Amino acid sequence: MVAKSDTQKNGGGFGGLRTLVRRKQVDSVHTKSSSSSSGHGQNQLAKSLTIPHLIAIGVGSTIGAGVYILVGTVAREHSGPALTFSFLIAGIAAALSAFCYAELASRCPSAGSAYHYSYICVGEGVAWLIGWALILEYTIGGSAVARGISPNLALLFGGPNSLPSFLARHTIPWLGVTVDPCAAILVFVVTGLLCVGIKESTFVQGIVTVANLCAMIFVIIAGGYLGFKTGWPGYKLSSGYLPFGADGMLAGASTVFFAYIGFDSVASTAEEVKNPQRDLPMGIGFALSICCTLYMLVSAIIVGLVPYYAMDPDTPISSAFTSHGIHWAAYIITVGACTALCSTLMGSILPQPRILMAMARDGLLPSFFSDVNKSTQVPVKSTIVTGLLAGTLAFFMDVEQLSGMVSVGTLLAFTMVAISVLILRYIPPDEVPLPSSLQEAIDSVSLRYNISNSSPGDLEVENTKNDGITSEENAPLLLTKGSPNEYPLLEKASGQCNSLVNEVNRRKIAGWAIIIMCIGVLILTSAASSLYLNNPLRFTLCGFGGVLLSSGLIILTLIDQDDARHSFGHTGGFICPFVPVLPIACILINVYLLINLGAATWTRVSIWLVVGILVYASYGRKNSSLRNAVYVPAAHVDEIYESSNSLP
């Protein structure tokens, strides 16, 4: 067996891009017990969540004010009466990402969500960028949601300017800034609730979500009665069911896709789920199914009550009832909008402390963020920092113009999760980083296998000492002279040599196929979205990207998936169907939406990502927990831990 320190593997320190692709180990019983013995056991979160809790988190985080506003805008500008099918298409597209999340969440049930999966399957550099983008997403998302609550509360008090003065918005003349005390107070209340405990905060979110669902059920029942009574005037139009054609319906689906963002919050609580292999996939699936069903029913009712061109883009549901003389319904709908926003606010703030905690555990952020309160078993410090930042932004800034940046973080995460599924199936990590404290056990197992597989005359000692390794922790390890592959320990008979070489070739082909496919997706979506290009060049680029995409898909379809996928991470959970077609379709959809977010959004996000790169270069890469890790074949991790336990 060959064991290599991370410093040796990567050419020493930061002396190569390989540092960016070092991958961490899936959290297991071994890693948790190791943390416990080293004094970090207090960093484990409480396992308190079950399927109902996960459904409350997923539905509460997903169904926000979007449904109360989007139906009007999308129906008027894109879909017309076919709005219901736009929601269905968007729901199917979101389900592709949900399938990918479900498999990874059940296999790797730790805090961090897409950041955690990217670190395990892709590498540290990409994982850092995903985590950094998610921090931006949840901070701005929470602030934007909080700023939207006060206008809806004002309507319940009688009008736009009816809130008490200590809650109402005020403009500071000499600064030209409109402050929103109500938004800040709500963020701080939610932050305090999240600090009490995950089970308690999820219970409250469930109550708020039920109130929102009751409002939506009222819209469906009362609106259905009105529709049958009036003969569904919205569907009896000379322009037909598709006034903007199929293209308009698809454009509407692209817009309402963002109404499904939120189910990934379920994955962020994976470490706190009692039975993650069963509960996480079911929680994600049920939450998304409930949201899609409600979206479709509400949109079908509203576009049937009022002609699409006459819908109010700001208050489509309330105005639909008002047009039929039911003015009091506006209060119920406004209550639904307020509860939806409060639930979404909780769903926006909940994941970020767990991402900060996961990054701090890995050494990429200060250990301050990894502390878990002993009594509540939640990351209180990270939660307070998140709440203070989101509350301050909500108080001073109108972050609506920055809301597009929320979508960037989500779509990047969705894309990397789909790529991680392909990596897990075709080229799962065959090397596992272990802490240097296990060096003695690693040497013991290495010596045992080399002696059992080689004669004494065939052994030689390789010194792994490197510039970055100065202690005796990294003692000489044994190599088999003349071995045809890097891990002679994997050879149980000489006849397996050729199969191992073929396996290496298969992994290389699969890796290049995934890379080619991703390049093809990027070229295809960029060319399809670049309307300023002349048609011959645009079609040529689309064709070239399509060929690369198809080539990668065909290669992955024809070659076998890696047998190691069956034992990767925690087994017995959900298995994503239709691989590689489903993850590739997910990647294609998400990259297309990313490309179309606009230059202004990407300019702002790029600034944030550049800041993140500087933070990583100055702190993260130097303090990463993998900096002095020792890499060993994944097949022998259990034996090394057993050997470690038996050593005096």
Side-chain angles (χ1 to χ4, degrees):
M1 180 179 72
V2 174
K4 296 185 293 184
S5 72
D6 182 69
T7 310
Q8 178 194 15
K9 177 182 174 68
N10 297 322
F14 196 61
L17 294 178
R18 288 187 178 182
T19 304
L20 301 177
V21 295
R22 54 189 177 190
R23 298 185 283 193
K24 64 180 287 187
Q25 181 184 2
V26 179
D27 287 346
S28 64
V29 175
H30 295 311
T31 56
K32 289 177 181 178
S33 62
S34 176
S35 311
S36 225
S37 63
S38 61
H40 297 289
Q42 71 274 16
N43 289 349
Q44 300 302 318
L45 303 178
K47 285 189 172 292
S48 307
L49 303 182
T50 58
I51 294 176
H53 296 112
L54 298 178
I55 294 174
I57 293 173
V59 174
S61 302
T62 303
I63 298 184
V67 67
Y68 294 96
I69 300 172
L70 276 180
V71 291
T73 303
V74 176
R76 284 172 60 96
E77 299 178 2
H78 300 294
S79 303
L83 176 63
T84 304
F85 284 96
S86 292
F87 272 108
L88 175 61
I89 295 169
I92 293 172
L96 301 181
S97 294
F99 281 128
C100 297
Y101 263 97
E103 174 163 352
L104 290 174
S106 60
R107 284 183 178 269
C108 315
S110 292
S113 186
Y115 157 78
H116 182 63
Y117 314 144
S118 300
Y119 208 161
I120 292 171
C121 296
V122 184
E124 185 173 286
V126 171
W128 168 266
L129 289 178
I130 294 297
W132 193 251
L134 288 176
I135 291 173
L136 177 70
E137 171 198 340
Y138 291 124
T139 301
I140 293 181
S143 303
V145 169
R147 293 280 292 202
I149 295 177
S150 52
N152 285 279
L153 282 178
L155 294 177
L156 293 179
F157 281 86
N161 300 313
S162 301
L163 279 177
S165 58
F166 71 94
L167 294 176
R169 290 182 177 179
H170 301 282
T171 301
I172 303 176
W174 58 90
L175 293 178
V177 174
T178 300
V179 296
D180 192 337
C182 180
I185 291 173
L186 286 171
V187 170
F188 296 147
V189 169
V190 168
T191 301
L193 181 61
L194 292 174
C195 289
V196 172
I198 183 64
K199 193 171 184 178
E200 292 78 6
S201 60
T202 304
F203 176 75
V204 174
Q205 187 174 21
I207 294 176
V208 177
T209 301
V210 168
N212 178 29
L213 295 181
C214 289
M216 297 187 74
I217 291 172
F218 165 79
V219 171
I220 294 169
I221 295 176
Y225 171 77
L226 278 178
F228 283 110
K229 185 177 179 180
T230 58
W232 301 106
Y235 291 124
K236 296 180 179 179
L237 301 175
S238 58
S239 56
Y241 194 72
L242 294 169
F244 300 99
D247 291 341
M249 182 178 66
L250 293 174
S254 298
T255 304
V256 300
F257 174 83
F258 297 103
Y260 288 96
I261 289 176
F263 68 82
D264 54 320
S265 297
V266 177
S268 69
T269 63
E271 191 174 313
E272 296 155 285
V273 179
K274 290 183 178 180
N275 186 354
Q277 281 68 47
R278 181 198 67 183
D279 295 353
L280 280 169
M282 294 183 70
I284 292 173
F286 281 132
L288 190 59
S289 300
I290 292 171
C291 294
C292 185
T293 301
L294 290 174
Y295 283 156
M296 291 178 64
L297 289 174
V298 169
S299 60
I301 294 295
I302 299 305
V303 296
L305 290 178
V306 181
Y308 71 92
Y309 53 80
M311 295 181 70
D312 188 330
D314 297 322
T315 56
I317 299 179
S318 301
S319 61
F321 281 90
T322 303
S323 65
H324 290 278
I326 307 180
H327 299 277
W328 53 269
Y331 290 97
I332 297 178
I333 295 166
T334 302
V335 169
C338 290
T339 55
L341 284 167
C342 290
S343 182
T344 305
L345 176 60
M346 293 185 67
S348 297
I349 296 179
L350 172 67
Q352 181 166 324
R354 284 145 184 84
I355 292 175
L356 292 172
M357 182 189 69
M359 297 176 75
R361 281 177 176 174
D362 297 328
L364 303 183
L365 289 177
S367 59
F368 168 87
F369 294 104
S370 66
D371 289 344
V372 174
N373 185 274
K374 292 182 179 179
S375 59
T376 63
Q377 288 188 277
V378 296
V380 172
K381 294 180 181 178
S382 295
T383 304
I384 291 174
V385 171
T386 298
L388 288 174
L389 183 58
T392 302
L393 285 176
F395 182 75
F396 286 106
M397 293 181 60
D398 184 2
V399 293
E400 185 176 351
Q401 59 180 344
L402 305 178
S403 58
M405 299 170 72
V406 175
S407 303
V408 172
T410 300
L411 292 175
L412 282 175
F414 284 5
T415 302
M416 291 314 305
V417 166
I419 293 175
S420 296
V421 168
L422 292 176
I423 293 174
L424 184 156
R425 294 298 190 90
Y426 289 95
I427 46 174
D430 54 359
E431 292 179 309
V432 174
L434 297 182
S436 57
S437 58
L438 296 175
Q439 185 69 58
E440 186 177 356
I442 294 170
D443 291 344
S444 173
V445 174
S446 177
L447 179 62
R448 184 189 316 159
Y449 271 88
N450 277 282
I451 290 177
S452 65
N453 286 280
S454 306
S455 62
D458 290 333
L459 297 180
E460 67 177 6
V461 174
E462 176 183 329
N463 193 333
T464 60
K465 186 175 181 181
N466 198 282
D467 292 340
I469 305 295
T470 57
S471 68
E472 295 181 356
E473 291 177 332
N474 299 280
L477 301 174
L478 294 176
L479 269 178
T480 302
K481 183 186 293 184
S483 175
N485 61 81
E486 198 173 13
Y487 307 116
L489 184 132
L490 298 178
E491 286 190 66
K492 298 187 182 297
S494 60
Q496 293 181 342
C497 180
N498 290 333
S499 63
L500 288 173
V501 173
N502 291 335
E503 174 63 14
V504 171
N505 291 334
R506 188 204 62 78
R507 288 175 64 89
K508 288 181 179 179
I509 293 172
W512 279 108
I514 293 173
I515 293 173
I516 290 171
M517 179 274 302
C518 291
I519 294 173
V521 167
L522 186 60
I523 294 175
L524 176 60
T525 53
S526 299
S529 304
S530 301
L531 301 179
Y532 58 86
L533 294 177
N534 59 69
N535 286 338
L537 177 59
R538 185 183 175 202
F539 294 150
T540 300
L541 290 174
C542 285
F544 180 64
V547 169
L548 293 179
L549 171 60
S550 302
S551 300
L553 173 60
I554 292 171
I555 293 172
L556 291 175
T557 303
L558 293 178
I559 65 176
D560 294 330
Q561 296 183 27
D562 198 304
D563 289 337
R565 72 187 187 278
H566 298 298
S567 57
F568 182 85
H570 298 251
T571 57
F574 178 82
I575 301 298
C576 181
F578 309 116
V579 175
V581 175
L582 189 150
I584 290 177
C586 177
I587 294 168
L588 182 63
I589 292 170
N590 292 323
V591 172
Y592 176 78
L593 294 173
L594 274 170
I595 294 294
N596 284 277
L597 284 177
T601 296
W602 273 108
T603 300
R604 299 187 187 104
V605 171
S606 298
I607 296 173
W608 175 254
L609 294 180
V610 168
V611 173
I613 292 172
L614 295 176
V615 173
Y616 173 74
S618 61
Y619 183 88
R621 70 177 180 85
K622 298 178 181 178
N623 296 278
S624 171
S625 60
L626 298 184
R627 180 169 174 78
N628 292 320
V630 181
Y631 285 79
V632 301
H636 304 287
V637 172
D638 290 340
E639 189 171 359
I640 291 171
Y641 275 107
E642 291 173 4
S643 177
S644 171
N645 293 331
S646 64
L647 290 174

